[in-house]
Amino acid sequence: MATVEVTIPDIGDFDEVAVIELLVKVGDKVRAEQSLITVESDKASMEIPCSHAGVVKEMRVKLGDKVKQGSVIVLVETAAATGHAVPTPPANLAVAPPVTAAATVSVSEAKQIPVVTVPPVITSVAKPSTDTSLPHASPSVRKFARELGVPLHEVKGSGPKGRISQEDVQAFNRAVMAGETRTQAQSSKAPAGDGAGLGLIPWPKVDFAKFGPIERKELGRIQKISGANLLRNAVMIPAVTNHDDADITELEAFRVATNKENEKSGVKVTMLAFLIKACVSALQKFPQFNSSLDGDALVYKQYWHIGFAADTPNGLMVPVLKDADKKGILQISAEMSELAKKAREGKLSPAEMSGATFTISSLGGIGGRYFTPIINAPEVAILGVCRSTMEPVWNGKEFVPRLMLPLSLTWDHRVIDGAAAARFNAYLGQVLGDFRRILL
Ligand code: CAO
């Protein structure tokens, strides 16, 4: 066993350079010629390579330290006595090193520790304006950018002299993903919004009038807004839809009876009110359905605000019934009817359309069997409901007529998996089949 001091080699015209990156730590196994640290002068950044294979015993520098030729940077414990082999300069020099001196080897008599230096590897130039081939970033940052496919020369560095950090690359990547900025390659392909930015072929341009009479009408304001939202949600969310049926025979009988009892109150209970309540129970049992993605984290909401799609003359609106967990069926019905009326009259306030944690889109009053609703981001799931029909259902002995409600649950596969979705639907079916389960 021998301990080798690795020092800063001749780095040319620079008195002192700053340590900008530590590429190894104590205990790391290192190969000969593996880069140990990155230093930066006002002209270039350079990797300082190791001379011997071994294990890092001690780091003699930290970030921000100023070092110069001869400064000891790392102690490496090697397996065999070393100090005699002259390491060859690294073959993968990105730019010719500022010095041509061969590697030097000297032995520190006092400590009996061989001191070994090898030429640095210049990795980037500090002034990209004079050399555009190498953006001003350390090797690990450039590797990171390469792996993400980020064009480094388009990233603005926030470090000294415009040096690009890993955070700068991440911020650039986030901005591109969020559509806040576009890479030069994206911009050169097509303007935003026509799909070509996604690498798709252009939208077909057809002269419809060539085939018959036409009338052109501009989209309404709400259609434009909801269209842009729906497109983003459809493109960005890896969505899957599970279809299921719920037996609502008894629940419908109860609803009809409740409406008879409350005839005079003026409040009409529809199936949607029961669905809201049943969904709250399912959301409480499966909290990931009541969450939102925030970067790499999931935000679980401790409130249950249910949005419901309303068909209005101006287009699709989604009023939000707040704190559905704290309200009974009659109150939910009354509030829903008020919100739906406001939606149709175009009188919903922004507050009445925000804060939803889950959405229900019911076409039950109109018809249909199943459909695939689009998730209302940043929610992670939406329930589509169609018209219930009386169907023959096998009860183990015979077919019996049951009122079956078709359910279509769309979920974000980044947050939810198929098994959880199937369980959610099954539980929802159980609750709708026997509403007493909500009390359990
Ligand atoms: N199965 C059978 N009948 C149903 C039903 C269902 N699943 N859901 C509602 N109905 C019945 C109601 O009982 C009512 O019948 P009666 O008049 O005989 O009592 C009738 O259909 C009309 O109900 P409704 O639609 O007025 O009431 P609702 O509470 O079910 O829905 C609202 C309210 C605002 C959601 C609804 O009016 C609406 O706008 N639906 C469209 C939503 C939509 O467009 N979704 C698609 C979004 S994607 O483009």
Side-chain angles (χ1 to χ4, degrees):
M1 294 283 257
T3 303
V4 178
E5 278 186 345
V6 182
T7 63
I8 299 285
D10 181 352
I11 46 174
D13 297 338
F14 314 111
D15 274 353
E16 278 193 329
V17 287
V19 177
I20 61 161
E21 199 174 21
L22 303 176
L23 303 169
V24 292
K25 57 184 184 318
V26 171
D28 280 0
K29 269 193 178 163
V30 285
R31 299 181 315 276
E33 293 182 12
Q34 179 177 335
S35 297
L36 297 174
I37 62 169
T38 309
V39 295
E40 183 183 61
S41 72
D42 53 356
K43 291 212 181 85
S45 40
M46 294 161 260
E47 288 176 17
I48 306 297
C50 194
S51 51
H52 289 72
V55 175
V56 176
K57 199 177 163 201
E58 193 178 325
M59 295 298 292
R60 287 282 179 89
V61 288
K62 55 185 186 319
L63 284 181
D65 279 0
K66 296 276 190 206
V67 289
K68 58 185 181 191
Q69 184 180 353
S71 302
V72 179
I73 50 173
V74 166
L75 295 191
V76 172
E77 199 165 70
T78 61
T82 54
H84 304 295
V86 177
T88 48
N92 60 339
L93 295 187
V95 170
V99 286
T100 51
T104 59
V105 179
S106 62
V107 178
S108 160
E109 296 291 333
K111 293 189 201 163
Q112 289 299 301
I113 293 175
V115 180
V116 184
T117 61
V118 293
V121 180
I122 298 207
T123 57
S124 76
V125 289
K127 294 190 179 90
S129 55
T130 55
D131 183 348
T132 50
S133 61
L134 287 171
H136 185 27
S138 71
S140 63
V141 168
R142 274 187 286 113
K143 180 166 178 279
F144 181 65
R146 242 188 344 266
E147 283 168 357
L148 284 180
V150 168
L152 202 54
H153 58 279
E154 293 179 35
V155 180
K156 202 169 173 318
S158 60
K161 301 182 204 88
R163 177 154 48 80
I164 301 164
S165 65
Q166 183 159 326
E167 287 71 35
D168 295 331
V169 175
Q170 282 168 327
F172 182 88
N173 195 43
R174 263 198 302 274
V176 171
M177 295 305 287
E180 291 158 10
T181 190
R182 311 182 83 210
T183 62
Q184 285 169 11
Q186 286 173 329
S187 304
S188 67
K189 272 191 186 156
D194 75 343
L198 296 170
L200 306 176
I201 56 170
W203 195 258
K205 270 236 168 273
V206 177
D207 179 6
F208 301 107
K210 245 174 51 182
F211 304 100
I214 59 164
E215 182 192 7
R216 190 184 165 88
K217 279 186 180 172
E218 285 305 309
L219 288 177
R221 197 179 65 85
I222 289 170
Q223 278 178 304
K224 282 185 196 160
I225 296 169
S226 63
N229 276 285
L230 289 165
L231 175 62
R232 180 203 54 208
N233 299 345
V235 170
M236 298 275 293
I237 302 173
V240 184
T241 306
N242 281 35
H243 303 288
D244 212 335
D245 295 313
D247 184 338
I248 56 163
T249 316
E250 271 81 40
L251 189 58
E252 175 62 6
F254 178 63
R255 185 185 77 85
V256 171
T258 307
N259 276 338
K260 258 212 169 87
E261 271 172 36
N262 289 283
E263 224 162 9
K264 287 199 186 100
S265 73
V267 177
K268 184 182 157 196
V269 175
T270 64
M271 190 48 69
L272 192 49
F274 288 103
L275 277 162
I276 288 178
K277 207 68 193 162
C279 281
V280 168
S281 177
L283 293 170
Q284 288 174 333
K285 194 171 170 68
F286 304 97
Q288 72 268 41
F289 287 80
N290 203 53
S291 73
S292 284
L293 265 176
D294 182 17
D296 288 337
L298 260 193
V299 179
Y300 289 87
K301 282 153 266 180
Q302 317 277 314
Y303 50 87
W304 293 269
H305 300 339
I306 310 299
F308 61 96
D311 185 27
T312 81
N314 295 322
L316 176 67
M317 314 264 325
V318 185
V320 180
L321 193 125
K322 302 270 164 58
D323 296 315
D325 56 311
K326 301 192 178 95
K327 295 172 183 168
I329 296 288
L330 291 177
Q331 189 181 350
I332 290 176
S333 297
E335 283 187 25
M336 234 173 43
S337 138
E338 181 60 26
L339 286 167
K341 183 166 170 279
K342 277 189 173 181
R344 281 191 289 272
E345 291 168 355
K347 288 185 180 158
L348 282 176
S349 69
E352 286 167 324
M353 290 187 283
S354 52
T357 58
F358 181 82
T359 295
I360 302 178
S361 178
S362 172
L363 294 171
I366 304 167
R369 293 290 290 171
Y370 303 96
F371 68 114
T372 53
I374 293 174
I375 294 169
N376 199 9
E379 293 157 43
V380 294
I382 181 169
L383 182 72
V385 183
C386 281
R387 194 169 190 81
S388 54
T389 50
M390 200 56 94
E391 290 174 23
V393 175
W394 184 252
N395 69 2
K397 285 195 207 122
E398 57 189 344
F399 281 105
V400 288
R402 306 295 294 176
L403 188 64
M404 303 303 289
L405 180 71
L407 305 173
S408 304
L409 179 75
T410 300
W411 40 279
D412 185 335
H413 212 335
R414 293 171 299 177
V415 177
I416 293 158
D417 55 35
R423 286 190 194 105
F424 185 98
N425 268 352
Y427 177 76
L428 199 57
Q430 284 179 337
V431 170
L432 292 169
D434 186 346
F435 228 72
R436 290 172 303 180
R437 284 179 182 276
I438 257 181
L439 303 169
L440 295 176

